[in-house]
Amino acid sequence: MSVQERKQRERADRERLIVATARELAEQQGWDAVTTRRLAERIEYSQPVLYSHFRGKREIIGAVALQGATEMAAAVRAATSGAHGPRERVTALARAYLDFAEDNPAVYDALFQLDGGLAYAREDTPEPLKDAFAALLETLGEVAGDGVHPGLFTEVLWASLHGLATLTRTRRLLPEDAAQRVELLVDRLAVL
């Protein structure tokens, strides 16, 4: 291995450490607790080293969001791949999405609530975000119904899931009704 290859590998390792540490800190204490000073202390590097990877917290949030998008896409695909029939696939997708949001609140916030400097729904949208949407579209596009644009339908169902995830997490909805909400969403929105 050349010196340059070793340095590139070390740089990539440091970057992964920064992102993992930010994510861990955000999951434990919230995004307000994630500061460059605190991250530098936790990873035992100076703040200038941290700034050589990310210009600031916004870019770190973006990196966590991209990582989360990849994980969410994988979770949705895993859940839907074992389901039989459109209704079961849509139900599995909804549950996987809501479970991901519940199990990874800081990552979910990085993806959909915080400014990570990422472009959404544009030509320059990063591939992990496009793939996360594609993971939803793969299942939802097949149940959009006649004359309904599959992408638009996916956006509406995604917005509904996001609303459920957000309202549940902020305790605006009774947790014991979560399964009924998913069933109602599938029954009323998806043409099965």
Side-chain angles (χ1 to χ4, degrees), residues 39-55:
L39 283 174
E41 289 171 1
R42 283 209 175 188
I43 64 172
E44 298 178 345
Y45 284 101
S46 67
Q47 282 183 293
V49 169
L50 194 134
Y51 282 116
S52 75
H53 290 274
F54 299 99
R55 287 182 288 205

Side-chain angles (χ1 to χ4, degrees), residues 107-174:
V107 173
Y108 192 82
D109 284 349
L111 268 166
F112 302 121
Q113 304 286 89
L114 302 173
D115 179 10
L118 302 173
Y120 285 79
R122 295 191 341 213
E123 191 67 32
D124 59 340
T125 298
E127 283 306 315
L129 298 178
K130 288 179 181 179
D131 188 54
F133 186 77
L136 300 175
L137 182 62
E138 289 162 11
T139 294
L140 298 175
E142 72 179 88
V143 298
D146 293 335
V148 177
H149 187 278
L152 188 59
F153 178 77
T154 299
E155 289 173 349
V156 170
L157 202 102
W158 170 31
S160 299
L161 290 171
H162 175 70
L164 288 175
T166 302
L167 291 170
T168 299
R169 186 163 134 211
T170 57
R171 302 191 196 297
R172 266 75 171 178
L173 299 176
L174 296 172

Side-chain angles (χ1 to χ4, degrees), residues 65-123:
L66 293 176
Q67 187 181 74
T70 299
E71 293 171 8
M72 187 179 78
V76 166
R77 285 185 176 115
T80 57
S81 70
H84 303 287
R87 179 176 179 44
E88 193 176 318
R89 278 193 294 281
V90 174
T91 301
L93 178 146
R95 288 186 179 139
Y97 183 95
L98 295 171
D99 288 347
F100 181 85
E102 182 180 345
D103 295 343
N104 305 282
V107 173
Y108 192 82
D109 284 349
L111 268 166
F112 302 121
Q113 304 286 89
L114 302 173
D115 179 10
L118 302 173
Y120 285 79
R122 295 191 341 213
E123 191 67 32

